[in-house]
């Protein structure tokens, strides 16, 4: 039901935004003997969703997101000012013009449109078709003061604000192609930020507990034989860490996959004690059979913060469904 609003940096790494999609590729097939496993997983997830960590404080998040949103907006304004865009009254740009001038590189067209739309909503720009015009120069923003307010709103969760500030300071260089967004997530190669974002703070702990409950219930609903898990886009292993400890080691097969080798070596080390885990590459946007994954070869598929980031959700979901056993 509820949706957490993501701040306006709109980079694809925030773990708290929950969105629902419907795709023809997700329509259920004949249930048959799978029904008890599915029902058990759903019931367990629903029960767990009513229990949050003591430090969750869900009632505080509307104001927290508002404060973080102001900080993100301030950095967007600062990024445009650093580009020399909308610096005078009447300055007018389209997305194509921003790309043509080199302020944004290819791949960031949608992000440029979202930023422009946000600023138009806030009254800082005027939108006329595909053209955005500044009625006055974009204001100078005290991002340090906005960051101070954000830190005050997130006591005990300072790495969240650290990450937003780090992203904000590098916005112009990232969208201009001089820097990669991954460096904001892994500063100096450190995993500290991602481990906090996807595992340590209250919101991922709440979500991961729901995933764990569903996974454990699915395994329990099939008391004999091996239950085969596949995790797609397992990444830093934040969800994996929550799930693996609850699975019966003697009859679980768990395949940890990602689109690149970037995370696999760390996962092998981190989950070395779980002998039932294997590791491999999988690009869920391509036919899995072409990558060595047979149709119908898994009972449970785990995918956290990954399917929405693919180019064609219908194709992605069709690939996922094809991997599930009848």
């Amino acid at each position: 039901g509820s949706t957490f609003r993501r701040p306006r940096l709109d980079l694809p790494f925030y773990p708290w935004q929950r969105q629902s999609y419907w795709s023809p590729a997700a329509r259920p097939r004949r249930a048959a003997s799978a029904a008890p496993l599915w029902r058990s997983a759903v019931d367990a997830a629903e029960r767990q969703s009513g229990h949050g960590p003591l430090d969750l404080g869900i009632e505080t998040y509307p104001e927290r997101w508002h404060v973080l949103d102001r900080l993100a907006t301030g950095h967007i304004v600062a990024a445009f000012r650093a580009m020399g865009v909308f610096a005078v009254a009447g300055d007018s740009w389209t997305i194509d013009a921003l790309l043509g001038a080199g302020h944004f590189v290819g791949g960031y067209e949608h992000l440029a449109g979202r930023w422009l739309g946000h600023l138009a909503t806030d009254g800082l720009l005027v939108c006329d078709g595909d053209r955005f015009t500044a009625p006055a120069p974009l204001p100078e923003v005290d991002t340090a003061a906005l960051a101070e307010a954000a830190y005050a709103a997130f006591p005990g969760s300072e790495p969240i604000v650290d990450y937003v500030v780090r992203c904000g300071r590098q916005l112009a260089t990232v969208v201009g192609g001089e820097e990669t967004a991954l460096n904001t997530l892994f500063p100096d190669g450190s995993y500290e930020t991602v481990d906090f974002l996807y595992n340590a703070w209250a919101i991922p702990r709440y979500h991961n507990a729901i995933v764990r409950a569903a996974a454990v219930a699915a395994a329990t609903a099939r008391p004999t034989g091996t239950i085969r898990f596949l995790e797609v886009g397992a990444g830093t292993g934040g969800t994996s860490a929550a799930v693996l400890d609850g699975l019966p080691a003697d009859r679980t097969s768990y395949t940890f996959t990602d689109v690149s080798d970037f995370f696999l070596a760390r996962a092998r080390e981190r989950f070395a004690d779980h002998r039932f885990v294997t590791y491999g590459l999988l690009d869920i946007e391509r036919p899995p059979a072409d990558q060595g994954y047979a149709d119908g070869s898994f009972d449970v598929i785990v995918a956290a913060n990954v399917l929405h980031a693919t180019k064609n959700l219908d194709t992605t979901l069709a690939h996922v469904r094809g991997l599930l056993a009848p």
Side-chain angles (χ1 to χ4, degrees):
S2 64
T3 298
F4 296 111
R5 184 183 180 191
R6 181 167 64 180
R8 292 180 172 179
L9 291 181
D10 289 322
L11 294 177
F13 303 118
Y14 293 102
W16 54 74
Q17 185 185 37
R18 295 174 59 194
Q19 295 181 340
S20 298
Y21 297 90
W22 178 256
S23 164
R27 288 174 182 154
R29 296 180 293 180
R30 183 171 54 88
S33 61
L37 184 152
W38 170 252
R39 191 67 257 167
S40 296
V42 170
D43 289 346
E46 289 180 345
R47 286 194 299 271
Q48 182 61 43
S49 70
H51 303 276
L54 292 177
D55 58 338
L56 181 61
I58 195 66
E59 72 283 352
T60 66
Y61 281 93
E63 177 58 25
R64 287 183 172 190
W65 298 149
H66 175 69
V67 171
L68 214 56
D69 193 60
R70 290 177 57 210
L71 174 59
T73 301
H75 278 296
I76 291 171
V77 171
F80 277 130
R81 285 174 58 91
M83 299 173 191
V85 172
F86 303 122
V88 297
D91 199 5
S92 183
W93 293 82
T94 64
I95 294 173
D96 287 342
L98 288 170
L99 268 71
H103 297 307
F104 287 77
V105 296
Y108 286 113
E109 298 91 336
H110 292 296
L111 183 62
R114 291 177 68 123
W115 287 6
L116 293 169
H118 288 320
L119 298 190
T121 298
D122 288 350
L124 296 174
L125 301 177
V126 174
C127 177
D128 182 11
D130 64 349
R131 181 167 294 279
F132 293 82
T133 304
L138 288 180
E140 186 172 356
V141 179
D142 188 349
T143 54
L146 294 175
E148 185 177 346
Y151 281 115
F154 282 84
S157 298
E158 289 81 4
I160 297 296
V161 184
D162 291 342
Y163 174 52
V164 175
V165 169
R166 187 163 62 248
C167 289
R169 289 172 177 169
Q170 299 182 55
L171 285 186
T173 55
V174 168
V175 299
E178 302 165 37
E179 185 62 86
T180 171
L182 280 177
N183 286 341
T184 68
L185 197 59
F186 301 95
D188 300 321
S190 169
Y191 282 83
E192 184 175 344
T193 297
V194 292
D195 285 341
F196 188 84
L197 286 175
Y198 295 123
N199 195 52
W201 73 306
I203 284 184
R205 282 191 280 116
Y206 171 71
H207 288 154
N208 288 341
I210 296 172
V211 179
R212 175 190 170 100
V216 171
T220 304
R222 183 173 295 175
T224 60
T226 299
I227 185 163
R228 302 160 299 173
F229 282 80
L230 169 69
E231 185 167 0
V232 178
T236 63
T239 302
S240 317
V243 170
L244 289 175
D245 286 340
L247 299 178
D250 59 335
R251 56 184 189 85
T252 298
S253 169
Y254 197 101
T255 304
F256 180 109
T257 70
D258 204 85
V259 72
S260 74
D261 288 315
F262 187 78
F263 296 110
L264 298 186
R266 184 176 188 245
R268 287 189 181 96
E269 179 179 341
R270 182 178 184 183
F271 303 124
D273 290 342
H274 299 284
R275 303 298 179 87
F276 57 88
V277 182
T278 58
Y279 306 87
L281 298 174
L282 175 60
D283 180 355
I284 199 61
E285 297 191 71
R286 299 193 294 115
D290 295 347
Q291 305 171 69
Y293 298 88
D295 288 349
S297 56
F298 296 97
D299 304 300
V300 179
I301 295 179
V302 178
N305 292 305
V306 58
L307 301 185
H308 73 286
T310 57
K311 294 177 182 177
N312 187 308
L313 196 59
D314 287 344
T315 299
T316 296
L317 289 174
H319 291 163
V320 170
R321 189 179 72 171
L323 287 167
L324 284 170

